[in-house]
Amino acid sequence: MRTVEQTLEEILNLAAEHFRVPRGQLSPDDDFFKALRLDSLQALELLTRLEQHFGVELPDYEFQGVTDFRTLADRIQARL
Amino acid sequence: MREFRGQSLSWQLTDGVCELALHREPANEIGTALLAELEQFVAALDALQNDVRAVILYSRLRSGFSAGADLRELYRRMRGLTAEQRVAGVRQFLERIHAVLNRLDAAPATTIAAVHGVCFGGGLELALACDVMVADKMARFCFPELRLGILPGFGGIPRLKRDVGNAVVRDLLLTGRSINAQRAHAVGLVAQLAAEGQALAVARATAQQAAKFDSAARSRAKQFSKPIPYEELQREIAIFCELFARPAVEEGLRKFVESSAPLPYLP
């Protein structure tokens, strides 16, 4: 079982890799829409890649209002 | 005519396989322009039915297969009209899109939707009229209509019920959540999964296989395995129009059209 810190680290690594942002530029409390420069389609892409990586379903309504990586990790952890 | 190049879609027939590409920016929203070209397409499909053995529907846009009905056009057109005029207008549009999707559903050729990216609302309803859905593993599927105070109006519920269990129908409909391609495959909505960027290639291989079969056997197999729920489709139009007459729908559409949220389809 992953810890929430491990989940957070994996999210940051995945986001950096897929959206081509240096990992060192991403922090847990960053607004990921701004840090990754996501439009609505890319937000869905991030959701799908997170689902594939963690092997869980992440209903998009649970992410309404979530903008920082740390809260995202909490939501994912609740599904693991 | 064996090919067509329109503003919203293009198609061509080659060796028994007709490929239809959707290309209306930004995300193949289905409004009056795309509907008119779909009407021309199904008329051509009828005229060419002895030559067409398989049909592939796909999108050339990065955004995906289709984001669904053109809600901005719908909102623009309904403003300033009385409730009766709004319902009459939307009913006419629904009757037209149902006629197109019923003809696509009943086409004797094997029809394949090659889906990538977003396949939401009316886009999913278009894909559901096809016989086989092939999905890129990054595709997502969704019926967000309840968020606007309406139901899917292009035949979505009757055709979804035809393909998957009712618990899945309720999950999609009553939560409005989007599901990924793996989940859609697991519940029976998607027939075949493709790697990223490979849905059209997989659909082409599937079309080549389907095109080998005897046309009479293929047509009868479709009729037997995929009955068209005409009564439920008509009932859907009636329910949609009942709901559409309410002021809450105009307010829901206004919020959607004016939203600058990163996920605007969320309520």
Side-chain angles (χ1 to χ4, degrees):
Chain A
M1 178 75 178
R2 295 175 174 91
T3 65
V4 70
E5 288 305 319
Q6 288 170 325
T7 299
L8 177 58
E9 189 62 26
E10 288 178 45
I11 293 170
L12 290 164
N13 288 338
L14 180 147
E17 178 187 345
H18 285 290
F19 295 95
R20 295 178 184 168
V21 176
R23 171 65 185 83
Q25 288 185 14
L26 299 178
S27 300
D29 295 315
D30 281 349
D31 179 328
F32 53 80
F33 285 103
K34 289 179 182 166
L36 304 175
R37 293 183 289 277
L38 300 181
D39 59 24
S40 58
L41 292 171
Q42 289 169 320
L44 285 171
E45 182 187 337
L46 175 62
L47 188 66
T48 306
R49 293 201 184 282
L50 290 170
E51 287 181 326
Q52 290 173 349
H53 178 84
F54 290 103
V56 294
E57 277 196 277
L58 305 170
D60 31 18
Y61 52 79
E62 287 195 6
F63 292 89
Q64 191 175 16
V66 175
T67 55
D68 65 282
F69 290 107
R70 193 183 301 279
T71 310
L72 185 59
D74 289 339
R75 299 290 166 89
I76 291 172
Q77 192 73 12
R79 293 266 174 182
L80 293 179
Chain B
M1 183 166 65
R2 300 179 82 83
E3 69 177 324
F4 172 80
R5 293 182 194 283
Q7 296 295 311
S8 303
L9 62 86
S10 299
W11 58 265
Q12 62 178 27
L13 173 61
T14 308
D15 297 331
V17 178
C18 183
E19 291 191 4
L20 181 149
L22 301 166
H23 48 68
R24 179 175 185 267
E25 297 280 2
N28 292 322
E29 289 83 356
I30 302 172
T32 49
L34 202 151
L35 173 59
E37 292 185 355
L38 281 173
E39 288 173 327
Q40 291 176 42
F41 170 68
V42 293
L45 203 54
D46 281 350
L48 293 167
Q49 65 175 275
N50 292 333
D51 299 327
V52 180
R53 298 193 294 275
V55 176
I56 299 171
L57 273 66
Y58 71 101
S59 165
R60 283 191 195 146
L61 304 184
R62 177 191 158 272
S63 53
F65 186 76
S66 168
D70 189 340
L71 299 178
R72 287 176 176 80
E73 180 186 85
L74 178 63
Y75 180 67
R76 197 169 58 244
R77 284 174 177 263
M78 75 190 288
R79 295 184 73 189
L81 298 179
T82 65
E84 291 75 18
Q85 287 171 325
R86 289 175 186 177
V87 171
V90 83
R91 182 183 292 279
Q92 184 188 44
F93 186 91
L94 292 178
E95 296 283 2
R96 286 175 63 194
I97 190 78
H98 273 248
V100 165
L101 297 183
N102 290 347
R103 286 167 79 177
L104 181 64
D105 202 336
T110 298
T111 53
I112 302 164
V115 175
H116 74 277
V118 294
C119 185
F120 285 5
L124 178 49
E125 292 172 296
L126 175 60
L128 279 166
C130 296
D131 303 327
V132 175
M133 212 184 298
V134 173
D136 180 299
K137 70 177 190 177
M138 291 299 291
R140 290 195 80 88
F141 303 85
C142 180
F143 272 133
E145 284 83 355
L146 260 70
R147 293 164 169 171
L148 298 170
I150 50 178
L151 296 179
F154 299 175
I157 298 174
R159 288 196 171 93
L160 190 64
K161 282 168 65 179
R162 180 174 66 178
D163 288 353
V164 305
N166 221 318
V168 176
V169 176
R170 292 194 300 273
D171 180 22
L172 283 175
L173 202 62
L174 300 179
T175 69
R177 74 183 180 111
S178 63
I179 60 170
N180 65 34
Q182 286 87 347
R183 171 74 173 156
H185 183 245
V187 300
L189 175 61
V190 163
Q192 299 183 39
L193 285 174
E196 280 187 64
Q198 297 301 309
L200 181 56
V202 171
R204 283 175 172 154
T206 306
Q208 289 301 321
Q209 170 66 11
K212 294 175 186 171
F213 297 145
D214 173 76
S215 60
R218 179 179 62 236
S219 177
R220 294 301 294 273
K222 273 188 65 163
Q223 290 169 0
F224 189 47
S225 64
K226 189 171 163 253
I228 301 173
Y230 289 111
E231 283 187 22
E232 284 201 344
L233 289 165
Q234 280 302 306
R235 180 76 184 126
E236 181 195 81
I237 293 174
I239 295 170
F240 186 99
C241 289
E242 282 173 32
L243 292 170
F244 191 76
R246 299 170 313 134
V249 175
E250 182 180 9
E251 179 58 17
L253 285 168
R254 185 191 64 76
K255 279 186 182 170
F256 174 85
V257 167
E258 294 176 358
S259 172
S260 59
L263 295 171
Y265 63 93
L266 293 175

